[in-house]
Amino acid sequence: MWTRVGVITVSAAVAAMVLGCSPPPSGPTVVIEDKVYTVTPTSVLGKAGIMTGEVTEMKVTERVEKDSGNVVSMAKLTGKLKLTNSSKDQSVRLVGGKIQFIDAQGQPIKVEEKRIEPTLKFSSYGGAERLDPGQEATQLVDVDFPAEALKAKKLKEIRLELVYLPSSYKEETANFTVSIGGQ
């Protein structure tokens, strides 16, 4: 008798969990989409000391709720940075970099509190610890972008400050006098 009562109780509990404890139907689904801002031009060239740089595929993206327009993920600048050692006689070791967003008055536009200042950290490039003359390094850029800079005609330029250690690089030739056969 007690066994039958126990089986009925367990069966009732399982049925309640399966049928009665299912979550209620959820509300409307929130659709999140990427809002992409084009950066014009999408590719730029620049020179800093003995380093020549090119930033390509630049764009600013923020994630927003489609219906309400509420920002879900703050804006980020993405792109690809290619640096070339344009020196003829110096190697460099890239240490880091900082990106600044400059307004029409030449003043930096700050990122909001609780966001990370836009910096670049360089790892070894192609397994090398240095860039010899003529060598290139490519780095992806993915940094926080200030919301203030999204306003029309607010952003004038993007400044890249590089930190690198130069060292002398010499290529010398030695000639050896030789002969084959004879004396």
Side-chain angles (χ1 to χ4, degrees), residues 173-181 183:
T173 302
N175 293 323
F176 302 99
T177 304
V178 297
S179 67
I180 299 204
Q183 306 156 357

Side-chain angles (χ1 to χ4, degrees), residues 141-172:
V141 175
D142 186 3
V143 296
D144 287 345
F145 189 84
E148 183 69 20
L150 291 174
K151 295 178 181 174
K153 302 194 189 243
K154 183 70 175 178
L155 181 66
K156 180 182 176 190
E157 64 185 28
I158 296 174
R159 180 179 296 157
L160 172 62
E161 297 175 357
L162 290 177
V163 178
Y164 61 87
L165 299 172
S167 61
S168 294
Y169 180 91
K170 295 229 181 229
E171 203 170 277
E172 302 283 343

Side-chain angles (χ1 to χ4, degrees), residues 5-79:
V5 171
V7 169
I8 293 172
T9 304
V10 169
S11 299
V14 169
M17 285 190 316
V18 171
L19 299 175
C21 293
S22 62
S26 61
T29 304
V30 176
V31 177
I32 297 174
E33 63 184 5
D34 287 343
K35 185 173 183 181
V36 178
Y37 299 85
T38 57
V39 178
T40 306
T42 59
S43 175
V44 292
L45 291 171
K47 188 163 178 72
I50 61 173
M51 299 300 297
T52 303
E54 179 180 23
V55 184
T56 59
E57 303 171 25
M58 285 191 294
K59 66 181 177 180
V60 175
T61 307
E62 68 181 348
R63 304 201 71 196
V64 296
E65 291 180 4
K66 186 175 182 176
D67 294 333
S68 69
N70 291 334
V71 176
V72 174
S73 179
M74 300 295 280
K76 288 203 165 269
L77 170 71
T78 58

